[in-house]
């Protein structure tokens, strides 16, 4: 395997594996938020804001993976 | 002919035009690059501190110009009985001010609100400029066989996002120190209060097991260090979250037209509009939340102990 | 860092950009709008208070008006009652006067009648005396002397008087 294909493979793996955890996490977050809204519809505003903040935290992990993938793809040049 | 049909006709004409343009003028697109490209020959010559004008820096200035012109436009017609544009501006400002008050409380909200609001507007506009990527990527200067786009959304430049993250985190520390005094504030991160306790135990002034005191103290210090690291990690997560989202959106907007040219990119544009709004909102709200944590909860925690 | 395109110069420039934008937007957008919102809030509060005051004043005036109306009604009622009372008194006075007059008139008339009756009685008595004297003169012209004659007549008259009294 030459370095270029290793780089491409690594990029795919990085974002693919890195997105699993945040995917599950965001699912759990939205699940909880929707249940709370269902139980207590008056608190919808604050629940939504907190949900978005939580989603941002969970998502940032995926974003780190994405950054790694992007660096692998565009920054490290496979010579 | 009814209005709906007129709109449908317009859409069809636009589609046909796009198809024709894509067929007859197959334009080249700039390669995707993480780093913003400096525009050739444009440098602000400050001795010892040369600033190369990159395409994203140029767009940052454009964004600022647009925002300031909008502000002037809104301000020009300010009156007691609002018209439509003033209503919109007031809704935005009042909504954000209410949000700041909800998160930071009435004491600190007036201080934090302008910072968060500026972050929101600045990031929002630069995120939405990202929607023009398919056009912007094609308009550029030919340099050594490569196109350098003239404009590029600031949010896809790490200088912009890291700069904002630095501002947010540094201001958070500043307000934390201003609220609690800098010794007390840094005591949150460097926890060595247990040493005095240990000395008291060793000299027999207080009863206790020295080993347990050392163990608990070390855990305390370690927790403080973790907090310090998480404080620094905020810079990374702030900047890379914004950069990653918008840069990925840009890549998607550039790649999708190669797969399916018609209508499908529109869906992704809608998605990117939403993502841009959410990211700007999150940047601003997280800044607010961290700032209010730094000024408030820390003190309450101490009182609770 | 280099490969990611981060350079200290550009970073500082971006931070400077943010600071400039922050200052300008604060000056041009937030402060005017927030002060406008504040002044409007104050104005609305003031007008609400004004409306409240006007409402209160109106209610007070209404109450005052009602009170005056009630007073006037009371006064009118009292006036009507006193007028009625006065009328009643007057009527009674008039009635009493009228009754008195009637009584006086009746009395007068009675007196008159009595007087006339007495007159008539005395007249009648005179006539009767004269007639009986005449008649007796004719009947007994020679058999009775004058003194016996007189006594007889007097007795007769006393009897007639008794009769008249019985009547």
């Amino acid at each position: 395997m030459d370095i270029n294909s290793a780089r491409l493979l690594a990029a795919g793996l990085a974002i693919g594996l890195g997105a699993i955890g945040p995917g599950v996490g965001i699912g759990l977050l939205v699940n909880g938020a929707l249940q709370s809204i269902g139980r207590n519809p008056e608190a919808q505003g604050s629940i939504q804001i907190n949900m978005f903040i939580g989603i941002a935290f969970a998502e940032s992990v995926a974003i780190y993976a994405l950054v790694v993938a992007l660096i692998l793809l565009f920054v490290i040049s496979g010579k | 002919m009814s209005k709906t049909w007129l709109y449908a006709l317009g859409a069809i004409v636009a589609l046909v035009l796009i198809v024709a343009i894509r067929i007859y003028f197959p334009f080249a697109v700039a390669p995707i690059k993480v780093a913003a490209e400096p525009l050739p020959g444009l440098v602000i010559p400050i001795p010892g501190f040369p600033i190369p004008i990159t395409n994203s820096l140029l767009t940052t200035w454009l964004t600022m110009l647009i925002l300031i012109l909008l502000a002037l436009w809104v301000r020009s017609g300010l009156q007691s009985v609002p018209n439509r544009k003033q209503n919109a501006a007031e809704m935005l400002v009042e909504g954000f001010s209410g949000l700041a008050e909800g998160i930071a409380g009435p004491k600190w909200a007036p201080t934090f609100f302008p910072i968060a609001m500026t972050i929101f507007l600045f990031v929002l506009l630069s995120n939405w400029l990202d929607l023009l990527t398919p056009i912007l990527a094609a308009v550029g200067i030919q340099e050594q066989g490569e196109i350098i786009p003239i404009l590029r959304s600031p949010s896809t430049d790490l200088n912009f996002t890291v700069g904002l993250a630095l501002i947010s985190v540094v201001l958070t520390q500043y307000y934390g120190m201003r609220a609690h005094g800098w010794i007390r504030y840094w005591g949150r991160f460097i926890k060595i209060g247990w040493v005095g306790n240990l000395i008291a135990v060793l000299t027999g002034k207080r009863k206790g097991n020295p080993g347990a005191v050392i163990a608990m103290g070390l855990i305390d210090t370690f927790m403080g260090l973790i907090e310090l690291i998480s404080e620094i990690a905020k810079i990374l997560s702030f900047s890379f979250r914004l950069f990653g989202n918008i840069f990925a959106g840009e890549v998607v907007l550039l790649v999708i037209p190669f797969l399916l040219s018609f209508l499908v990119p529109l869906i992704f544009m809608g998605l990117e509009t939403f993502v841009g709004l959410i990211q700007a909102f999150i940047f601003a709200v997280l800044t607010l939340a961290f700032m209010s944590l730094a000024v408030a909860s820390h003190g309450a925690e101490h009182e609770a102990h | 860092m280099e490969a990611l395109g981060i350079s200290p110069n550009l970073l500082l420039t971006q931070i400077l950009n943010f600071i400039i934008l922050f200052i300008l937007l604060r000056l041009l957008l937030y402060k005017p709008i927030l002060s406008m919102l504040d002044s409007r809030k104050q104005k609305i509060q003031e007008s609400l208070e004004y409306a409240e005051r006007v409402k209160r004043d109106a209610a007070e005036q209404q109450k005052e008006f009602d009170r005056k109306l009630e007073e006037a009604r009371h006064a009118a009622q009292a006036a009507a009652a006193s007028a009625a009372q006065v009328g009643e008194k007057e009527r009674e006075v008039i009635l009493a006067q009228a009754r008195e007059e009637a009584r006086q008139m009746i009395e007068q008339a009675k007196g008159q009648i009595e007087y006339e009756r007495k007159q008539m009685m005395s007249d009648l008595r005179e006539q009767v005396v004269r007639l009986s004297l005449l008649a007796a003169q004719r009947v007994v012209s020679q058999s009775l002397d004058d003194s016996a004659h007189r006594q007889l007549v007097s007795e007769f008259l006393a009897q007639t008087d008794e009769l008249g009294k019985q009547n």
Side-chain angles (χ1 to χ4, degrees), chain B residues 25 28 96 130 141-142 148 162 165 172 204-205 211-212 219 237 264 274:
Chain B
F25 303 97
F96 225 86
D130 166 64
I141 304 163
Q142 198 100 23
I148 296 172
V162 171
T172 303
K205 273 183 191 162
I219 288 172
S237 70
V264 177
F274 180 66

Side-chain angles (χ1 to χ4, degrees), chain B:
Chain B
M1 206 189 280
S2 73
K3 237 178 186 178
T4 322
W5 283 107
L6 219 72
Y7 285 136
L9 194 72
I12 290 168
V13 167
L15 256 174
V16 169
L17 267 176
I18 291 169
V19 173
I21 288 168
R22 293 287 302 202
I23 289 171
Y24 287 105
F25 303 97
F27 45 79
V29 170
I32 298 164
K33 276 185 183 157
V34 172
E37 304 91 336
L39 297 169
L42 285 177
V43 176
I44 299 176
I46 299 169
F49 196 77
I51 300 165
I53 296 178
T54 58
N55 44 16
S56 72
L57 187 57
L58 195 65
T59 318
T60 310
W61 289 337
L62 187 71
T63 312
M64 289 164 68
L65 191 70
I66 292 171
L67 279 176
I68 289 163
L69 286 181
L70 274 177
L72 282 174
W73 181 59
V74 166
R75 190 172 177 261
S76 66
L78 223 54
Q79 55 205 19
S80 197
V81 179
N83 51 17
R84 210 177 289 174
K85 71 175 176 188
Q86 194 185 335
N87 254 335
E90 273 174 11
M91 219 165 74
L92 188 69
V93 171
E94 201 173 18
F96 225 86
S97 148
L99 188 74
E101 202 150 307
I103 293 175
K107 189 189 164 195
W108 286 94
T111 321
F112 297 163
F113 155 72
I115 301 166
M117 183 93 213
T118 310
I119 288 176
F120 177 72
L121 290 176
F122 203 8
V123 173
L124 183 71
L125 194 59
S126 55
N127 284 358
W128 279 352
L129 281 178
D130 166 64
L131 292 170
L132 298 174
T133 300
I135 301 162
L136 297 185
V139 182
I141 304 163
Q142 198 100 23
E143 177 91 358
Q144 293 155 9
E146 267 188 2
I147 294 173
I148 296 172
I150 295 173
L151 297 174
R152 168 180 175 149
S153 164
S155 303
T156 61
D157 179 8
L158 272 171
N159 288 310
F160 177 76
T161 61
V162 171
L164 282 186
L166 272 176
I167 285 167
S168 164
V169 171
V170 167
L171 281 182
T172 303
Q173 310 309 317
Y174 168 68
Y175 285 121
M177 281 189 271
R178 216 174 78 177
H180 299 295
W182 69 273
I183 293 174
R184 239 181 103 190
Y185 184 74
W186 287 106
R188 182 184 175 187
F189 304 118
I190 303 156
K191 289 181 171 166
I192 45 170
W194 57 277
V195 174
N197 228 346
L198 181 67
I199 290 167
V201 169
L202 285 179
T203 52
K205 273 183 191 162
R206 203 183 295 177
K207 275 186 184 174
N209 186 351
V213 171
I214 290 173
M216 292 306 290
L218 282 179
I219 288 172
D220 222 29
T221 309
F222 184 65
M223 295 300 286
L225 279 178
I226 282 181
E227 278 213 42
L228 188 63
I229 290 168
S230 80
E231 220 43 49
I232 293 163
K234 264 190 219 161
I235 302 173
L236 269 172
S237 70
F238 259 134
S239 56
F240 277 100
R241 181 182 305 120
L242 182 58
F243 169 77
N245 266 295
I246 305 307
F247 190 73
E250 191 185 293
V251 172
V252 166
L253 286 182
L254 276 176
V255 170
I256 289 293
F258 285 104
L259 304 175
L260 257 171
S261 248
F262 314 114
L263 287 180
V264 177
L266 270 184
I267 300 168
F268 281 90
M269 282 207 171
L271 181 73
E272 283 311 308
T273 313
F274 180 66
V275 166
L277 176 67
I278 288 292
Q279 287 307 318
F281 184 72
I282 280 174
F283 206 118
V285 167
L286 279 185
T287 302
L288 267 178
F290 286 146
M291 281 181 176
S292 44
L293 268 179
V295 296
S297 139
H298 167 214
E301 199 179 294
H302 259 255
E303 278 151 30
H305 270 229

Side-chain angles (χ1 to χ4, degrees), chain C residues 44-119:
Chain C
I44 288 172
Q45 188 132 18
E46 267 168 18
S47 36
L48 276 180
E49 267 167 20
Y50 178 72
E52 191 66 29
R53 208 167 55 231
V54 165
K55 216 162 97 185
R56 222 170 32 230
D57 280 3
E60 230 154 71
Q61 271 177 356
Q62 178 71 33
K63 219 181 271 175
E64 177 82 17
F65 177 73
D66 280 352
R67 200 172 58 77
K68 275 192 179 153
L69 200 70
E70 193 65 19
E71 251 173 35
R73 196 175 290 142
H74 267 298
Q77 264 174 1
S82 75
Q85 229 167 1
V86 167
E88 184 73 15
K89 227 175 251 172
E90 198 103 325
R91 194 171 75 96
E92 260 162 33
V93 167
I94 289 167
L95 263 176
Q97 268 178 359
R99 225 172 264 142
E100 183 72 13
E101 258 170 43
R103 201 177 55 79
Q104 273 175 3
M105 272 160 95
I106 288 168
E107 226 147 80
Q108 226 171 355
K110 264 187 187 162
Q112 191 94 18
I113 288 165
E114 187 72 10
Y115 174 75
E116 271 175 13
R117 198 174 65 97
K118 273 184 181 161
Q119 194 81 22

Side-chain angles (χ1 to χ4, degrees), chain A residues 4 64 69:
Chain A
N4 214 15
Y64 296 152

